[in-house]
Amino acid sequence: MKILEIKVLKGPNYWSVRRLKLIQMKLDLEEKENMPTNKIPGFRERLEKMLPSLYEHRCSEGVPGGFFHRVDEGTWMGHVVEHIALEIQTLAGMDVGFGRTRTPEGEKEGIYYVVFSYMEEDAGVYAAKASVRIAQALIEGRDYDITEDIQNMRVIREDTRLGPSTGCIVDEAAKRNIPYIRLNKASLVQLGYGVNQKRIRATIASTTSNIAVDIACDKEETKMLLEAAEIPVPRGTVIRTEEGLKDAVEKYGYPLVIKPIDGNHGKGNTTNITTWEQATKALAAAKEYGRSVIVEKFITGFDFRCLVINYKFICAALRTPASVVGNGKNNIQWLIDEVNKDPRRGYGHEKVLTQITIDQFTQKMLDDYGYTLETIPKKGERVLLKPTANLSTGGTSTDVTDEVHPANIFMFERIAKIIGLDICGIDVMATDLRTPVSENGGAILEVNAAPGFRMHIEPAEGLPRNVAEPVVDMLFPKGSAGRIPIIAITGTNGKTTTTRLTAHIAKSAGKKVGYTTSDGVYIQNQMMMKGDCTGPVSSQFVLKDPTVDFAVLECARGGILKSGLAFQNCEVAVVTNVAADHIGLGGIHTIEAMAKVKGVVPETVFSHGYAVLNADDDLVYKMKNDLKCNIALFSMDENNPRIKEHAAENGLSCVFENGFVTLMKGNWKIRVLNVKKIPLTYEGKAVHNINNCLPAVLSCYLFRDITIDDIRTGLQTFIPSETLTPGRLNFFQFKNFTMLADFAHNPHGLKLLCDFVSKLDYPIRIGVISGTGDRRDDDIRELGEISAQYFDEIIIRCDKNLRGRTADEIIGLLKEGIEKINPNIPVMTIPNEDQALDYIYENPRHGALYTIMCDVVARALDKIRELKEREEKEGVLLTLSHQ
């Protein structure tokens, strides 16, 4: 078996619009294609012995043991790999269950697309590779220890996942349909889109005051402010030297606490110091984290963490450091191992509690006791193993929210206001919280920015608290979802022009538009990224921009197949058409399969939104049967039966009728504009651009704050040019000839372009054509056939990137198509685009129109501009020479 390709899908995709996180592995079974599981001796037994938990996989049988029954009957190894990949992730603490294994129609024998869900991207990729290794070992009867793979995936999971605090906020936002984007590999996350976005980093929010965080991180400054406000705090001072430590010991006496002034998570802290030797060691430990060190009187009692969000008390937890209780028989190591057998304890954050590990802090505490791991504690003796009660080091928490005295609640909320911290963790040492801390001898030890939430959402004992809810309430009040309108546009041809026109109309209505196209990403008409930007990375670029309040996103086949869509939902989706282009690429071998790819986009429309579909295209129109949103149709024929049926049901549509772009609400017509007044249509000659106007007009009309007048203005002011519509009907007038540059790159697009050219008044029409190497033979031949039907002469040139073919192959196929239609048409071959353009300039046919199928649009336009400048300079020189 051989892995040919692994893709990580992160959004709505070809396999599922709901299951966003999928691994797609292209697997060649090679000789294993002829070895179903029932023909491999002992395979079922070895599989069940290695992974007995696969019994729970129901598979298509729908009952426990269903997958094993399929193995007994005989199933192919791609299917087995899928189930192994799912199960080893589950065993590593990532419970996943969706999988599919298919051979696409038209794919060669033995090739399978193995698709399965993942929780963490890197762990999913690891599972894909490991599952093939495991299956190979099972086939060969080799020993294979899967525990290493499972532990590796646990480590990957902990290294890459959002922490429990950030994760619970993101989960709460997702429940409310608030979108999120992870902005880095750590804990920086954007909630919402565009101008309505908020950000969190762990439990610091974009609303959190920077000065408040700065104060909270300075323990001495925090203590000074609290003490000045009559909040009970431990007596203490700040020191830098042993001399200062000596003075502090004399002033406050033992027991003491020593900690760095700007430490966090208990790093460098030493508590219950009772001797000078302990004090000097603690000073050295604290100074590893900063020059200044706090020395405080050690307050006895219990360690509580109280949480205040948006200046309201939310909950409180009693924290207990990792510890063991002696039984008088076994040593400390044995007791730790027993505690770690608790099924609630796991690796990292995978369970409610974390396993206790032996580290330098544990060794230091045992040294302070005079113990080692071999020491046998007395029965009932509690041995603390960590200096702090952090859950991540094996500590436990107990919810005590309902026990907190009203006076303490008032004090906690007041502390948050004093520091100015909207998400605030307050550490309290006291005998209890049932009585006022000011009366029971307790004290406020610290105020924490970015407090951990895990102790509250997953306490070892007591009621879990949904502390993420008030955070999301604070960031998105009154039910706001933090979204901006999204119009997503897909199809084979016309996507970019429709996208640009739609964005222009929205801009005319006062929107701050971000849009993506096949030539770049634009934020309010400023190009931010150059190139083919029709994939999810470009869409995210727009959605992350804090100045954008309206997004128009071109979504091409390639991005959907490679990564899925960047968004889970949109307000409007447009499908322009589906034609035979890119067939045979990415596992898509039929036009019906291509329609399924394009159909992913309208499936993401909100139930209250609209799918805008081409009623003249059978495959596009058929998409409406699978949609759960509103449908709006467009057509070049108002008498299209589908339009009439839709109108009879009071549906919304946009049609070309009597020379007008016309909206129809049921049978009522709103004539928007005569096409001769729309510059994009070249006085109605560019029929394909009339077609592109229809969905743009209809999509914008769906938004109440975009008026008919806005739409008319947008249509009239959208002037086609190489800057506004690069690669789309770009005319360049030279002295003796004209060039028309267009990105037509498939038969459907070339036919539309040639229809337009045939209506133009030029004495001779010359086509400069090429074929794309990764297209089917018939597609390339058809380009030649169309060219021979419309052009008087043809120049064949080759793309810079031949995409797996030789230049001779492509030229040969184009000539076959040309000769089939008109064997007598003059044909010239020139190796590349630049040379072809130079040849035209140096050998022009007087009055000719040269129609150029561009390879890379930006480069072709730059070359044509260069020739224009050259002509102008030559003209100036000629004029000067005659003077």
Side-chain angles (χ1 to χ4, degrees), residues 46-169:
R46 292 192 293 273
L47 177 63
E48 188 169 9
K49 181 180 179 181
M50 180 183 287
L51 291 165
S53 48
L54 281 172
Y55 179 78
E56 298 301 322
H57 288 219
R58 297 169 176 256
C59 204
S60 57
E61 305 283 322
V63 295
F67 171 64
F68 280 137
H69 185 243
R70 293 287 308 277
V71 172
D72 289 337
E73 286 184 333
T75 189
W76 269 257
M77 205 50 60
H79 184 207
V80 174
V81 165
E82 169 206 322
H83 281 268
I84 292 174
L86 290 170
E87 187 57 25
I88 60 177
Q89 287 184 90
T90 299
L91 294 173
M94 295 167 284
D95 193 7
V96 291
F98 175 81
R100 292 285 185 272
T101 300
R102 300 285 187 270
T103 296
E105 182 183 347
E107 191 63 79
K108 75 173 189 177
E109 188 178 79
I111 301 295
Y112 289 82
Y113 285 73
V114 180
V115 179
F116 58 88
S117 49
Y118 68 89
M119 290 181 67
E120 300 301 326
E121 177 181 329
D122 291 348
V125 172
Y126 185 100
K129 297 175 180 178
S131 61
V132 175
R133 293 195 300 267
I134 292 167
Q136 191 69 50
L138 289 168
I139 292 168
E140 297 170 4
R142 288 187 288 108
D143 289 340
Y144 190 99
D145 183 6
I146 65 168
T147 57
E148 182 179 350
D149 285 330
I150 291 170
Q151 181 58 24
N152 286 342
M153 283 190 287
R154 283 176 173 156
V155 172
I156 292 170
R157 179 199 69 209
E158 291 303 305
D159 286 345
T160 59
R161 74 188 297 189
L162 290 172
S165 300
T166 313
C168 75
I169 297 172

Side-chain angles (χ1 to χ4, degrees), residues 93-372:
M94 295 167 284
D95 193 7
V96 291
F98 175 81
R100 292 285 185 272
T101 300
R102 300 285 187 270
T103 296
E105 182 183 347
E107 191 63 79
K108 75 173 189 177
E109 188 178 79
I111 301 295
Y112 289 82
Y113 285 73
V114 180
V115 179
F116 58 88
S117 49
Y118 68 89
M119 290 181 67
E120 300 301 326
E121 177 181 329
D122 291 348
V125 172
Y126 185 100
K129 297 175 180 178
S131 61
V132 175
R133 293 195 300 267
I134 292 167
Q136 191 69 50
L138 289 168
I139 292 168
E140 297 170 4
R142 288 187 288 108
D143 289 340
Y144 190 99
D145 183 6
I146 65 168
T147 57
E148 182 179 350
D149 285 330
I150 291 170
Q151 181 58 24
N152 286 342
M153 283 190 287
R154 283 176 173 156
V155 172
I156 292 170
R157 179 199 69 209
E158 291 303 305
D159 286 345
T160 59
R161 74 188 297 189
L162 290 172
S165 300
T166 313
C168 75
I169 297 172
V170 169
D171 289 344
E172 179 65 25
K175 288 176 188 174
R176 304 185 191 193
N177 213 16
I178 297 170
Y180 69 92
I181 300 172
R182 190 170 180 176
L183 298 176
N184 64 10
K185 292 185 177 180
S187 56
L188 183 62
V189 178
Q190 174 183 317
L191 304 177
Y193 290 149
V195 295
N196 295 322
Q197 68 179 269
K198 304 291 183 183
R199 291 179 183 173
I200 58 170
R201 186 196 293 274
T203 59
I204 293 178
S206 49
T207 56
T208 303
S209 161
N210 182 62
I211 193 171
V213 173
D214 191 54
I215 291 169
C217 288
D218 187 325
K219 292 178 172 55
E220 182 62 15
E221 194 165 9
T222 299
K223 183 178 175 183
M224 180 192 71
L225 288 173
L226 296 183
E227 194 170 17
E230 296 297 327
I231 303 294
V233 295
R235 293 184 304 130
T237 188
V238 176
I239 65 166
R240 290 189 177 184
T241 64
E242 276 198 18
E243 190 66 32
L245 176 61
K246 185 177 180 181
D247 292 342
V249 170
E250 290 177 357
K251 182 174 182 179
Y252 301 114
Y254 298 115
L256 293 171
V257 174
I258 295 179
K259 55 190 176 182
I261 198 168
D262 54 358
N264 56 57
H265 301 295
K267 294 175 181 176
N269 290 14
T270 306
T271 60
N272 199 17
I273 297 165
T274 57
T275 68
W276 176 251
E277 182 183 1
Q278 290 176 349
T280 55
K281 286 182 179 178
L283 176 63
K287 292 195 73 171
E288 290 183 14
Y289 297 91
R291 294 175 61 196
S292 299
V293 171
I294 292 177
V295 180
E296 290 178 342
K297 187 70 177 176
F298 178 63
I299 306 295
T300 58
F302 295 101
D303 182 358
F304 296 96
R305 164 61 64 81
C306 303
L307 186 64
V308 178
I309 297 174
N310 203 18
Y311 307 108
K312 296 293 182 183
F313 171 74
I314 302 300
C315 57
L318 168 65
R319 303 189 297 175
T320 306
S323 62
V324 292
V325 178
N327 60 11
K329 299 178 182 178
N330 300 102
N331 63 28
I332 291 173
Q333 181 65 67
W334 186 92
L335 293 170
I336 292 173
D337 293 341
E338 281 300 298
V339 169
N340 283 339
K341 289 179 182 177
D342 185 338
R344 296 177 301 167
R345 290 191 182 270
Y347 180 82
H349 296 140
E350 72 179 349
K351 295 185 179 179
V352 172
L353 299 175
T354 299
Q355 290 186 340
I356 300 172
T357 58
I358 309 300
D359 58 16
Q360 60 184 17
F361 298 107
T362 308
Q363 294 290 356
K364 181 180 181 302
M365 295 201 70
L366 292 178
D367 289 345
D368 291 344
Y369 286 123
Y371 288 174
T372 71

Side-chain angles (χ1 to χ4, degrees), residues 728-830:
R728 275 76 187 170
L729 300 188
N730 300 151
F731 283 90
F732 295 85
Q733 187 64 53
F734 288 79
K735 183 178 180 181
N736 296 316
F737 65 96
T738 303
M739 286 188 183
L740 169 58
D742 197 275
F743 187 54
H745 59 285
N746 57 54
H748 183 260
L750 182 59
K751 177 70 165 60
L752 294 172
L753 174 62
C754 289
D755 283 342
F756 169 65
V757 169
S758 68
K759 297 172 185 174
L760 302 178
D761 187 20
Y762 287 91
I764 186 169
R765 299 178 183 88
I766 301 172
V768 182
I769 69 169
S770 65
T772 307
D774 58 4
R775 303 305 199 267
R776 299 175 301 179
D777 290 359
D778 287 347
D779 295 331
I780 298 174
R781 287 192 192 96
E782 191 175 355
L783 291 173
E785 293 173 16
I786 295 168
S787 300
Q789 290 172 11
Y790 285 91
F791 296 123
D792 302 307
E793 297 179 14
I794 296 173
I795 297 173
I796 298 176
R797 56 94 188 160
C798 289
D799 289 348
K800 185 175 182 180
N801 182 356
L802 299 177
R803 304 192 187 191
R805 292 186 189 262
T806 66
D808 288 343
E809 280 183 275
I810 296 171
I811 293 167
L813 290 168
L814 288 170
K815 285 184 174 180
E816 287 178 23
I818 293 167
E819 290 169 4
K820 178 181 176 182
I821 301 300
N822 184 358
N824 299 317
I825 190 171
V827 177
M828 174 183 292
T829 301
I830 299 178

